[in-house]
């Protein structure tokens, strides 16, 4: 494909909408990409090669993001969005993939955050009032995050029916980041299943109803959005509020799964949905419910 068409012919709203429709199975990704692409379009307007941008244009944009003080992970996100967009534009014959040979940038994989110890987890869970629906929800949410290492996006996307049996094991099906469906799973220990069903009962959902229930696993209790899916932002806010109430008021404590469960090399695991594989797993990474019995001997939180 030659670069003989102007990008102005490609940057119309309809084309961007078509790209977002292409990502319809990943609504959160589509929302993020839309924001990134709009920012790029605004930047491009003031560039001398705005009508026919080249690979050097994309490199200049990446350099500009860095000069403006964006963090490496943010630059990486913007570049991934731009690269995916131009890849799609080329695939439909609209414009050459001028971003193909521009690297997205390095990502800081090392988290500067801290991890909770077992005694700290117990403090957080103990201060939750479980006499209310919101309290039972928050308790179940935190137990799930602490024990199974779910990301906020995975907890937000989870449906009640995702609690299921694979082989001889009870699991929670997981729709991970960038995935179109719940193609992975995490083993669901008995103590986690118990607190989840205890919470679901407050919504009128009994254990026998779980397999056919398409409602979100965690829902809002506020008047304006009662019964609606908890967003990732809401989940993060719930976690942060509970942390602060327990006395952990520091920016280093966040709702990210790695901050919640990673300690001494432990890794939250996800497996493809394969019943035979599930039967053979020995899930030693799962966190034992020592906070329930008040015995914190293994210290794995």
């Amino acid at each position: 494909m030659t670069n003989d068409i102007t990008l102005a012919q490609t940057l119309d709203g309809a084309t961007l909408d078509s790209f977002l429709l292409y990502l319809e199975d990943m609504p959160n990704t589509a929302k993020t990409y839309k924001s990134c692409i709009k920012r790029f379009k605004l930047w491009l307007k003031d560039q001398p090669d705005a009508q026919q941008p080249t690979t050097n244009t994309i490199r200049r944009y990446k350099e500009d993001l860095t000069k403006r003080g964006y963090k490496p992970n943010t630059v990486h996100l913007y570049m991934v969005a731009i690269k995916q967009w131009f890849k799609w534009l080329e695939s439909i014959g609209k414009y050459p993939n001028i971003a193909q040979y521009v690297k997205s940038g390095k990502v800081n994989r090392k988290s500067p955050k801290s991890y909770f110890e077992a005694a700290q987890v117990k403090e957080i869970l103990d201060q939750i009032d479980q006499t209310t629906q919101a309290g039972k929800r928050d308790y179940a949410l935190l137990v799930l995050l602490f024990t199974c290492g779910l990301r906020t996006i995975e907890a937000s996307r989870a449906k009640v029916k995702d609690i299921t049996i694979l082989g001889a094991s009870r699991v929670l099906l997981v729709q991970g980041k960038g995935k179109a469906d719940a193609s992975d799973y995490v083993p669901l220990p008995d103590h986690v299943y118990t607190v989840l069903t205890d919470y679901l009962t407050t919504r009128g959902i009994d254990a026998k109803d779980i397999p056919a229930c398409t409602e979100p696993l965690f829902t809002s209790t506020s008047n304006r959005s009662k019964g609606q899916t908890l967003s990732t932002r809401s989940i993060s806010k719930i976690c942060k509020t509970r942390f602060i109430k327990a006395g952990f008021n520091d920016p280093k404590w966040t709702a990210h799964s790695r901050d919640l469960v990673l300690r001494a090399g432990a890794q939250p695991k996800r497996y493809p949905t394969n019943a035979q594989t599930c039967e053979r797993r020995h899930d030693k990474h799962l966190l034992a419910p020592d906070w329930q019995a008040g015995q914190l001997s293994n210290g794995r939180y």
Side-chain angles (χ1 to χ4, degrees), residues 81-99:
I82 298 305
K83 287 172 69 68
Q84 290 298 321
W85 187 45
F86 277 103
K87 179 180 179 180
W88 178 78
L89 289 174
E90 182 175 72
S91 72
I92 63 171
K94 286 286 188 178
Y95 204 81
N97 186 0
I98 59 176

PDB file of all heavy atoms in Angstrom, residues 81-99:
ATOM      1  N   ALA A  81      -2.086   1.925  21.628  1.00  0.00           N
ATOM      2  CA  ALA A  81      -3.351   2.312  21.002  1.00  0.00           C
ATOM      3  C   ALA A  81      -3.133   2.778  19.569  1.00  0.00           C
ATOM      4  O   ALA A  81      -3.865   2.381  18.649  1.00  0.00           O
ATOM      5  CB  ALA A  81      -4.017   3.415  21.816  1.00  0.00           C
ATOM      6  N   ILE A  82      -2.122   3.630  19.374  1.00  0.00           N
ATOM      7  CA  ILE A  82      -1.825   4.145  18.031  1.00  0.00           C
ATOM      8  C   ILE A  82      -1.382   3.023  17.099  1.00  0.00           C
ATOM      9  O   ILE A  82      -1.804   2.957  15.930  1.00  0.00           O
ATOM     10  CB  ILE A  82      -0.726   5.234  18.104  1.00  0.00           C
ATOM     11  CG1 ILE A  82      -1.211   6.431  18.935  1.00  0.00           C
ATOM     12  CG2 ILE A  82      -0.333   5.694  16.700  1.00  0.00           C
ATOM     13  CD1 ILE A  82      -2.506   7.041  18.469  1.00  0.00           C
ATOM     14  N   LYS A  83      -0.553   2.127  17.600  1.00  0.00           N
ATOM     15  CA  LYS A  83      -0.078   1.015  16.781  1.00  0.00           C
ATOM     16  C   LYS A  83      -1.237   0.101  16.366  1.00  0.00           C
ATOM     17  O   LYS A  83      -1.308  -0.334  15.205  1.00  0.00           O
ATOM     18  CB  LYS A  83       0.986   0.217  17.548  1.00  0.00           C
ATOM     19  CG  LYS A  83       2.329   0.935  17.673  1.00  0.00           C
ATOM     20  CD  LYS A  83       3.282   0.207  18.591  1.00  0.00           C
ATOM     21  CE  LYS A  83       3.749  -1.101  18.019  1.00  0.00           C
ATOM     22  NZ  LYS A  83       4.628  -0.928  16.836  1.00  0.00           N
ATOM     23  N   GLN A  84      -2.145  -0.177  17.288  1.00  0.00           N
ATOM     24  CA  GLN A  84      -3.293  -1.020  16.961  1.00  0.00           C
ATOM     25  C   GLN A  84      -4.209  -0.338  15.952  1.00  0.00           C
ATOM     26  O   GLN A  84      -4.778  -0.986  15.073  1.00  0.00           O
ATOM     27  CB  GLN A  84      -4.067  -1.360  18.239  1.00  0.00           C
ATOM     28  CG  GLN A  84      -3.334  -2.312  19.165  1.00  0.00           C
ATOM     29  CD  GLN A  84      -3.084  -3.663  18.521  1.00  0.00           C
ATOM     30  OE1 GLN A  84      -3.930  -4.197  17.812  1.00  0.00           O
ATOM     31  NE2 GLN A  84      -1.904  -4.212  18.754  1.00  0.00           N
ATOM     32  N   TRP A  85      -4.338   0.971  16.079  1.00  0.00           N
ATOM     33  CA  TRP A  85      -5.207   1.726  15.169  1.00  0.00           C
ATOM     34  C   TRP A  85      -4.669   1.684  13.742  1.00  0.00           C
ATOM     35  O   TRP A  85      -5.407   1.387  12.797  1.00  0.00           O
ATOM     36  CB  TRP A  85      -5.336   3.165  15.666  1.00  0.00           C
ATOM     37  CG  TRP A  85      -6.329   3.978  14.899  1.00  0.00           C
ATOM     38  CD1 TRP A  85      -7.575   3.605  14.509  1.00  0.00           C
ATOM     39  CD2 TRP A  85      -6.161   5.322  14.426  1.00  0.00           C
ATOM     40  NE1 TRP A  85      -8.208   4.615  13.838  1.00  0.00           N
ATOM     41  CE2 TRP A  85      -7.354   5.689  13.772  1.00  0.00           C
ATOM     42  CE3 TRP A  85      -5.127   6.243  14.510  1.00  0.00           C
ATOM     43  CZ2 TRP A  85      -7.529   6.941  13.192  1.00  0.00           C
ATOM     44  CZ3 TRP A  85      -5.304   7.496  13.949  1.00  0.00           C
ATOM     45  CH2 TRP A  85      -6.501   7.826  13.292  1.00  0.00           C
ATOM     46  N   PHE A  86      -3.383   1.985  13.586  1.00  0.00           N
ATOM     47  CA  PHE A  86      -2.808   1.987  12.240  1.00  0.00           C
ATOM     48  C   PHE A  86      -2.736   0.570  11.659  1.00  0.00           C
ATOM     49  O   PHE A  86      -2.851   0.388  10.440  1.00  0.00           O
ATOM     50  CB  PHE A  86      -1.428   2.646  12.235  1.00  0.00           C
ATOM     51  CG  PHE A  86      -1.492   4.152  12.145  1.00  0.00           C
ATOM     52  CD1 PHE A  86      -1.286   4.936  13.259  1.00  0.00           C
ATOM     53  CD2 PHE A  86      -1.799   4.780  10.944  1.00  0.00           C
ATOM     54  CE1 PHE A  86      -1.369   6.316  13.187  1.00  0.00           C
ATOM     55  CE2 PHE A  86      -1.886   6.163  10.849  1.00  0.00           C
ATOM     56  CZ  PHE A  86      -1.671   6.936  11.976  1.00  0.00           C
ATOM     57  N   LYS A  87      -2.554  -0.409  12.508  1.00  0.00           N
ATOM     58  CA  LYS A  87      -2.586  -1.790  12.037  1.00  0.00           C
ATOM     59  C   LYS A  87      -3.957  -2.106  11.457  1.00  0.00           C
ATOM     60  O   LYS A  87      -4.079  -2.752  10.401  1.00  0.00           O
ATOM     61  CB  LYS A  87      -2.256  -2.733  13.201  1.00  0.00           C
ATOM     62  CG  LYS A  87      -2.272  -4.206  12.831  1.00  0.00           C
ATOM     63  CD  LYS A  87      -1.943  -5.071  14.050  1.00  0.00           C
ATOM     64  CE  LYS A  87      -1.983  -6.547  13.701  1.00  0.00           C
ATOM     65  NZ  LYS A  87      -1.666  -7.394  14.897  1.00  0.00           N
ATOM     66  N   TRP A  88      -5.003  -1.645  12.156  1.00  0.00           N
ATOM     67  CA  TRP A  88      -6.371  -1.867  11.680  1.00  0.00           C
ATOM     68  C   TRP A  88      -6.645  -1.075  10.411  1.00  0.00           C
ATOM     69  O   TRP A  88      -7.269  -1.583   9.468  1.00  0.00           O
ATOM     70  CB  TRP A  88      -7.362  -1.460  12.768  1.00  0.00           C
ATOM     71  CG  TRP A  88      -8.797  -1.608  12.371  1.00  0.00           C
ATOM     72  CD1 TRP A  88      -9.533  -2.750  12.319  1.00  0.00           C
ATOM     73  CD2 TRP A  88      -9.674  -0.552  11.940  1.00  0.00           C
ATOM     74  NE1 TRP A  88     -10.819  -2.493  11.901  1.00  0.00           N
ATOM     75  CE2 TRP A  88     -10.932  -1.148  11.661  1.00  0.00           C
ATOM     76  CE3 TRP A  88      -9.521   0.817  11.779  1.00  0.00           C
ATOM     77  CZ2 TRP A  88     -12.018  -0.404  11.207  1.00  0.00           C
ATOM     78  CZ3 TRP A  88     -10.604   1.560  11.336  1.00  0.00           C
ATOM     79  CH2 TRP A  88     -11.841   0.954  11.058  1.00  0.00           C
ATOM     80  N   LEU A  89      -6.172   0.180  10.336  1.00  0.00           N
ATOM     81  CA  LEU A  89      -6.373   1.018   9.151  1.00  0.00           C
ATOM     82  C   LEU A  89      -5.768   0.358   7.913  1.00  0.00           C
ATOM     83  O   LEU A  89      -6.364   0.380   6.840  1.00  0.00           O
ATOM     84  CB  LEU A  89      -5.758   2.408   9.362  1.00  0.00           C
ATOM     85  CG  LEU A  89      -6.470   3.338  10.349  1.00  0.00           C
ATOM     86  CD1 LEU A  89      -5.665   4.611  10.558  1.00  0.00           C
ATOM     87  CD2 LEU A  89      -7.879   3.682   9.866  1.00  0.00           C
ATOM     88  N   GLU A  90      -4.586  -0.229   8.088  1.00  0.00           N
ATOM     89  CA  GLU A  90      -3.955  -0.894   6.949  1.00  0.00           C
ATOM     90  C   GLU A  90      -4.745  -2.138   6.550  1.00  0.00           C
ATOM     91  O   GLU A  90      -4.889  -2.440   5.354  1.00  0.00           O
ATOM     92  CB  GLU A  90      -2.523  -1.271   7.296  1.00  0.00           C
ATOM     93  CG  GLU A  90      -1.784  -1.932   6.122  1.00  0.00           C
ATOM     94  CD  GLU A  90      -0.330  -2.178   6.443  1.00  0.00           C
ATOM     95  OE1 GLU A  90      -0.059  -3.093   7.252  1.00  0.00           O
ATOM     96  OE2 GLU A  90       0.537  -1.492   5.860  1.00  0.00           O
ATOM     97  N   SER A  91      -5.272  -2.848   7.549  1.00  0.00           N
ATOM     98  CA  SER A  91      -5.996  -4.089   7.265  1.00  0.00           C
ATOM     99  C   SER A  91      -7.260  -3.852   6.445  1.00  0.00           C
ATOM    100  O   SER A  91      -7.711  -4.744   5.722  1.00  0.00           O
ATOM    101  CB  SER A  91      -6.349  -4.808   8.565  1.00  0.00           C
ATOM    102  OG  SER A  91      -7.383  -4.133   9.265  1.00  0.00           O
ATOM    103  N   ILE A  92      -7.848  -2.644   6.557  1.00  0.00           N
ATOM    104  CA  ILE A  92      -9.056  -2.334   5.779  1.00  0.00           C
ATOM    105  C   ILE A  92      -8.752  -1.448   4.573  1.00  0.00           C
ATOM    106  O   ILE A  92      -9.663  -0.951   3.905  1.00  0.00           O
ATOM    107  CB  ILE A  92     -10.126  -1.654   6.657  1.00  0.00           C
ATOM    108  CG1 ILE A  92      -9.637  -0.307   7.186  1.00  0.00           C
ATOM    109  CG2 ILE A  92     -10.549  -2.570   7.795  1.00  0.00           C
ATOM    110  CD1 ILE A  92     -10.715   0.515   7.877  1.00  0.00           C
ATOM    111  N   GLY A  93      -7.443  -1.241   4.292  1.00  0.00           N
ATOM    112  CA  GLY A  93      -7.038  -0.499   3.112  1.00  0.00           C
ATOM    113  C   GLY A  93      -7.201   1.004   3.191  1.00  0.00           C
ATOM    114  O   GLY A  93      -7.279   1.678   2.171  1.00  0.00           O
ATOM    115  N   LYS A  94      -7.222   1.541   4.403  1.00  0.00           N
ATOM    116  CA  LYS A  94      -7.429   2.976   4.572  1.00  0.00           C
ATOM    117  C   LYS A  94      -6.129   3.777   4.616  1.00  0.00           C
ATOM    118  O   LYS A  94      -6.062   4.903   4.112  1.00  0.00           O
ATOM    119  CB  LYS A  94      -8.215   3.232   5.866  1.00  0.00           C
ATOM    120  CG  LYS A  94      -9.693   2.880   5.785  1.00  0.00           C
ATOM    121  CD  LYS A  94     -10.455   3.906   4.976  1.00  0.00           C
ATOM    122  CE  LYS A  94     -11.952   3.675   5.044  1.00  0.00           C
ATOM    123  NZ  LYS A  94     -12.708   4.701   4.293  1.00  0.00           N
ATOM    124  N   TYR A  95      -5.084   3.212   5.253  1.00  0.00           N
ATOM    125  CA  TYR A  95      -3.831   3.952   5.394  1.00  0.00           C
ATOM    126  C   TYR A  95      -2.722   2.977   5.759  1.00  0.00           C
ATOM    127  O   TYR A  95      -2.970   1.987   6.452  1.00  0.00           O
ATOM    128  CB  TYR A  95      -3.952   5.026   6.483  1.00  0.00           C
ATOM    129  CG  TYR A  95      -2.963   6.166   6.309  1.00  0.00           C
ATOM    130  CD1 TYR A  95      -3.218   7.200   5.417  1.00  0.00           C
ATOM    131  CD2 TYR A  95      -1.770   6.194   7.028  1.00  0.00           C
ATOM    132  CE1 TYR A  95      -2.310   8.232   5.248  1.00  0.00           C
ATOM    133  CE2 TYR A  95      -0.854   7.215   6.858  1.00  0.00           C
ATOM    134  CZ  TYR A  95      -1.135   8.233   5.969  1.00  0.00           C
ATOM    135  OH  TYR A  95      -0.239   9.268   5.786  1.00  0.00           O
ATOM    136  N   PRO A  96      -1.485   3.226   5.314  1.00  0.00           N
ATOM    137  CA  PRO A  96      -0.375   2.320   5.638  1.00  0.00           C
ATOM    138  C   PRO A  96      -0.117   2.267   7.143  1.00  0.00           C
ATOM    139  O   PRO A  96      -0.358   3.237   7.859  1.00  0.00           O
ATOM    140  CB  PRO A  96       0.817   2.947   4.903  1.00  0.00           C
ATOM    141  CG  PRO A  96       0.221   3.823   3.858  1.00  0.00           C
ATOM    142  CD  PRO A  96      -1.074   4.327   4.422  1.00  0.00           C
ATOM    143  N   ASN A  97       0.406   1.173   7.577  1.00  0.00           N
ATOM    144  CA  ASN A  97       0.725   1.016   8.996  1.00  0.00           C
ATOM    145  C   ASN A  97       2.061   1.681   9.303  1.00  0.00           C
ATOM    146  O   ASN A  97       3.103   1.032   9.414  1.00  0.00           O
ATOM    147  CB  ASN A  97       0.774  -0.461   9.376  1.00  0.00           C
ATOM    148  CG  ASN A  97       0.953  -0.669  10.862  1.00  0.00           C
ATOM    149  OD1 ASN A  97       1.045   0.291  11.620  1.00  0.00           O
ATOM    150  ND2 ASN A  97       1.011  -1.922  11.285  1.00  0.00           N
ATOM    151  N   ILE A  98       2.024   2.988   9.475  1.00  0.00           N
ATOM    152  CA  ILE A  98       3.252   3.760   9.693  1.00  0.00           C
ATOM    153  C   ILE A  98       3.796   3.602  11.119  1.00  0.00           C
ATOM    154  O   ILE A  98       4.904   4.059  11.423  1.00  0.00           O
ATOM    155  CB  ILE A  98       3.013   5.257   9.403  1.00  0.00           C
ATOM    156  CG1 ILE A  98       1.895   5.795  10.310  1.00  0.00           C
ATOM    157  CG2 ILE A  98       2.688   5.475   7.936  1.00  0.00           C
ATOM    158  CD1 ILE A  98       1.661   7.294  10.171  1.00  0.00           C
ATOM    159  N   ALA A  99       3.035   2.964  11.991  1.00  0.00           N
ATOM    160  CA  ALA A  99       3.482   2.792  13.378  1.00  0.00           C
ATOM    161  C   ALA A  99       4.097   1.425  13.622  1.00  0.00           C
ATOM    162  O   ALA A  99       4.539   1.123  14.731  1.00  0.00           O
ATOM    163  CB  ALA A  99       2.310   3.004  14.336  1.00  0.00           C
TER     164      ALA A  99
END
